[in-house]
Amino acid sequence: MWHLQDHMSHQQELRLCSDLLGEILTFLYQEKDQRQQSQNLNGISALSFSDNSVTQEADILVIGILETLIRSVRDIDRTSTVVGPMVANLVALLRLMEERHYLHLWKKFDDRCQIRDRKKLKDFLLQVFLVFRDLVKQDVFPRDWVVMKMVTNHVALCALQEFSQPLTVDFLENGSFDAQLWSNYFTLAVAFLTQPSLQLETFLESKRDKILEKYGDMRVLMGFQILSMWDKLGEHKVCFIPAMVGPFLEVTLVPETELRKATLPIFFDMMECEQKTRGNFKQVESELIDKLDILVSENKGDDEYRQLFNTMEHLSAVLLEKVRSNDPVWRKNGIAFINSITRLLERLLDYRNVMEGEENRDKRMSCTVNLLNFYKNEINRKDMYIRYIYKLCDLHLPAENYTEAAFTLKLHADLLSWSNCSLPGDQRYREQPEWQRKEALYLKIIEYFDKGKCWEEGTPLCKELAELYEKKLFDYARLSSILKTQAKFLDNILSQLRPEPEYFRVGFYGIGFPLFLRVKLRLA
């Protein structure tokens, strides 16, 4: 055993070690099956399997090699041919383990005075969580090995229930709370629950029924385990706000009714916790809004996200009921927040429904304007407002709506001044003084007004830039250039023929129209 451990620790003869360990585990399983069959034939069903020699031998394996095996699986190259057998060995060993094995494993981390070495235990648990998270995120086995994947997931689920025990006993109570360890646990649990191989809706009905009959819906079991661990945190819940808002929101992607009903109150819990600790729940609100927006903009309306939004509508109802019956100090803000989320969801749903297809460009513009106005006027999120300004501009440019694109960019420019305050960089701009960003926007807007033949609107901007170059920057080269542009615009106004614009007022009435159009008047 120690020879095997030494070779695995140094990554030497790993294939031979894997084969040898596999033979040992196979023998133990054969012995286990023979003893169970013998007990059944003799009617000795009351005998405890934990008393036989197989369990004792498994105990030796757990104490002697489990930690090394986990470390080997963690460090092994995922392109290696031995990674599959090594993972299978780990799964087989965990499958052999009973409660007594885990108790012996925890005692391994005690010193001679029976005091737990928390540092070593923490390092071990972090390795376990890292390996498990890697297994659920990467396909170790071929995609059509459904049985092996389900066995692996079931074993991991049972093992996580046991590995979660030291979190409560050793890393929560009596001033021993460890936020890093708990965060890794929750991240792993969410990754397990949302992994593709457990999304039963993607399977054929016959295969789905077989999985449910044998293993049940492991997502639900993990969801309730997450809830149980979350409830144990008590006053430490605030340490995971807002970091866990996004991951817990991903759990609502899972289209399982019981799981949704169970996990939705977590958001109310977070709001209440932050309100008591910080006097508001701005971080929960901000993170929830950001995450919802990202789910829409980056995943382009697949069915799972449709399920998410349906869930969030139910979330609003659940939270609203809880807030109304709670502390009046934050009841008003809580109800306002939930109503804002509901209105945001309406706009996001509309936006998602028209995201694809050239024929929906006008509808996409209307939905984008709705979101843009919502972020500015209702919840005052300047960053989100600016993000949708550029989304709207990007819709206008392919349609050659240059005048509309210019007016859209001007919404951003109007938020800026000519000061020297530094603005952070983003995907479109580097870090720069505020006046430089406004100058860059003005030049782009002037270019679009020129392409759209709307020179009257470009002239005032030229005048502003001319004043900047003449009185603040003393840059006469750029002053000359912008004055020439202004003169060109004035000449075009006098000499260029342009068709008279025509507008028609159109009204949309009736439930057959989408929400972003219904009972509104538009110019077309």
Side-chain angles (χ1 to χ4, degrees):
M1 180 64 64
W2 303 115
H3 179 73
L4 181 63
Q5 184 187 43
D6 180 66
H7 280 278
M8 290 180 63
S9 298
H10 296 87
Q11 297 291 304
Q12 298 173 3
E13 303 175 359
L14 201 54
R15 167 64 71 176
L16 182 60
C17 293
S18 176
D19 293 343
L20 179 57
L21 182 58
E23 291 180 7
I24 294 173
L25 291 167
T26 300
F27 172 77
L28 290 178
Y29 271 102
Q30 290 174 348
E31 285 290 306
K32 177 180 176 180
D33 290 340
Q34 290 176 4
R35 287 178 180 273
Q36 287 179 332
Q37 291 174 7
S38 176
Q39 289 174 6
N40 293 334
L41 289 174
N42 293 310
I44 319 177
S45 58
L47 284 179
S48 173
F49 177 67
S50 62
D51 295 331
N52 63 48
S53 60
V54 175
T55 302
Q56 296 173 2
E57 291 167 355
D59 210 0
I60 297 173
L61 279 176
V62 170
I63 300 302
I65 209 165
L66 177 61
E67 193 172 356
T68 304
L69 180 57
I70 289 173
R71 190 162 50 246
S72 298
V73 172
R74 180 199 65 186
D75 296 336
I76 194 171
D77 184 0
R78 287 295 179 262
T79 61
S80 172
T81 57
V82 77
V83 64
M86 289 295 290
V87 172
N89 287 334
L90 175 60
V91 172
L93 181 55
L94 291 172
R95 195 179 180 189
L96 272 178
M97 292 175 66
E98 300 175 353
E99 186 174 358
R100 60 170 287 181
H101 297 127
Y102 286 101
L103 293 176
H104 290 170
L105 179 62
W106 307 141
K107 288 181 180 179
K108 178 182 176 181
F109 296 96
D110 294 344
D111 59 19
R112 293 180 180 179
C113 299
Q114 299 299 308
I115 299 176
R116 187 65 52 86
D117 188 339
R118 286 193 173 90
K119 184 179 185 306
K120 290 183 178 179
L121 179 58
K122 175 183 175 179
D123 291 341
F124 172 72
L125 291 175
L126 285 174
Q127 287 185 49
V128 170
F129 296 159
L130 179 63
V131 168
F132 279 21
R133 189 169 59 188
D134 194 33
L135 292 180
V136 300
K137 286 190 173 183
Q138 298 186 17
D139 288 330
V140 176
F141 304 108
R143 292 187 177 183
D144 55 346
W145 287 25
V146 178
V147 174
M148 188 63 192
K149 287 185 177 182
M150 290 302 160
V151 170
T152 301
N153 283 323
H154 187 260
V155 170
L157 176 63
C158 297
L160 276 175
Q161 292 173 344
E162 297 292 342
F163 285 124
S164 66
Q165 298 306 313
L167 282 179
T168 304
V169 176
D170 297 285
F171 298 100
L172 178 61
E173 302 168 349
N174 301 322
S176 59
F177 174 68
D178 192 300
Q180 180 191 12
L181 202 53
W182 278 84
S183 180
N184 274 269
Y185 169 80
F186 283 128
T187 303
L188 166 61
V190 172
F192 178 92
L193 196 150
T194 57
Q195 63 175 298
S197 59
L198 287 185
Q199 308 315 308
L200 302 180
E201 295 73 23
T202 62
F203 297 159
L204 295 175
E205 185 177 356
S206 57
K207 183 183 293 186
R208 180 169 64 247
D209 292 341
K210 289 181 180 179
I211 293 173
L212 289 173
E213 181 181 357
K214 189 165 185 178
Y215 302 105
D217 195 334
M218 288 182 275
R219 301 171 300 179
V220 177
L221 298 175
M222 179 54 76
F224 281 103
Q225 188 173 329
I226 291 174
L227 280 175
S228 176
M229 297 298 287
W230 175 260
D231 289 338
K232 292 177 182 179
L233 282 172
E235 62 183 9
H236 299 295
K237 291 177 181 177
V238 72
C239 298
F240 302 96
I241 297 172
M244 292 308 301
V245 173
F248 285 157
L249 187 58
E250 291 182 22
V251 174
T252 62
L253 286 168
V254 179
E256 210 292 323
T257 304
E258 293 303 318
L259 178 62
R260 288 175 178 169
K261 289 181 179 179
T263 53
L264 292 177
I266 286 182
F267 295 99
F268 165 77
D269 208 19
M270 287 182 164
M271 291 165 58
E272 184 178 37
C273 181
E274 188 180 10
Q275 176 68 33
K276 289 181 178 179
T277 306
R278 299 165 180 160
N280 59 65
F281 45 87
K282 292 295 184 183
Q283 292 190 32
V284 175
E285 176 184 4
S286 177
E287 188 71 12
L288 188 57
I289 290 172
D290 287 347
K291 188 64 177 179
L292 281 174
D293 192 272
I294 290 172
L295 293 177
V296 175
S297 62
E298 292 188 354
N299 291 274
K300 299 182 180 179
D302 61 8
D303 191 59
E304 286 183 338
Y305 284 89
R306 185 194 305 272
Q307 296 293 337
L308 168 66
F309 296 133
N310 290 336
T311 298
M312 290 306 300
E313 290 174 352
H314 180 58
L315 167 64
S316 296
V318 172
L319 296 187
L320 192 59
E321 181 180 354
K322 286 182 175 289
V323 168
R324 281 174 175 163
S325 61
N326 212 288
D327 187 352
V329 173
W330 65 286
R331 182 184 304 159
K332 180 178 179 181
N333 291 336
I335 292 175
F337 165 66
I338 294 166
N339 290 335
S340 294
I341 288 292
T342 303
R343 292 192 297 274
L344 173 60
L345 284 168
E346 291 178 356
R347 288 157 176 77
L348 290 174
L349 280 167
D350 289 338
Y351 184 85
R352 191 190 68 83
N353 289 335
V354 298
M355 275 293 290
E356 297 178 355
E358 288 295 320
E359 68 279 7
N360 289 325
R361 182 184 289 116
D362 290 341
K363 293 181 179 179
R364 292 168 67 185
M365 291 179 183
S366 296
C367 291
T368 305
V369 169
N370 276 357
L371 279 168
L372 182 150
N373 290 331
F374 176 84
Y375 285 126
K376 179 185 179 183
N377 300 325
E378 297 198 34
I379 61 175
N380 192 26
R381 285 294 302 274
K382 182 178 176 181
D383 55 332
M384 307 293 284
Y385 173 62
I386 293 173
R387 180 190 300 180
Y388 277 90
I389 283 176
Y390 286 96
K391 286 180 180 290
L392 182 59
C393 182
D394 291 340
L395 288 173
H396 282 304
L397 291 177
E400 298 184 354
N401 297 333
Y402 295 113
T403 300
E404 290 82 354
F407 280 120
T408 302
L409 285 185
K410 194 171 184 299
L411 295 176
H412 184 194
D414 289 342
L415 299 176
L416 304 174
S417 68
W418 298 108
S419 74
N420 287 318
C421 297
S422 179
L423 294 180
D426 54 30
Q427 294 181 349
R428 295 177 182 268
Y429 300 98
R430 58 180 174 81
E431 183 178 355
Q432 59 189 164
E434 188 174 8
W435 69 265
Q436 283 189 0
R437 188 164 300 180
K438 184 162 185 172
E439 177 197 22
L441 279 168
Y442 266 34
L443 292 174
K444 182 62 68 174
I445 294 168
I446 289 170
E447 177 188 344
Y448 289 156
F449 275 138
D450 188 18
K451 289 184 177 180
K453 298 183 178 181
C454 191
W455 301 297
E456 292 87 350
E457 297 294 337
T459 301
L461 304 187
C462 292
K463 292 180 180 179
E464 280 194 63
L465 287 177
E467 185 175 358
L468 172 70
Y469 298 147
E470 181 182 5
K471 297 182 180 181
K472 293 184 178 182
L473 301 182
F474 306 103
D475 190 330
Y476 296 111
R478 282 193 280 183
L479 174 61
S480 172
S481 177
I482 200 65
L483 288 176
K484 290 177 182 177
T485 300
Q486 181 181 345
K488 174 187 172 185
F489 282 9
L490 295 174
D491 286 340
N492 289 339
I493 292 172
L494 294 173
S495 59
Q496 295 289 333
L497 293 177
R498 292 174 288 175
E500 292 292 333
E502 293 183 349
Y503 299 95
F504 303 90
R505 187 178 295 274
V506 181
F508 299 87
Y509 301 93
I511 60 175
F513 293 105
L515 288 173
F516 66 90
L517 288 177
R518 199 179 303 164
V519 196
K520 291 184 178 179
L521 293 175
R522 295 180 61 196
L523 292 177

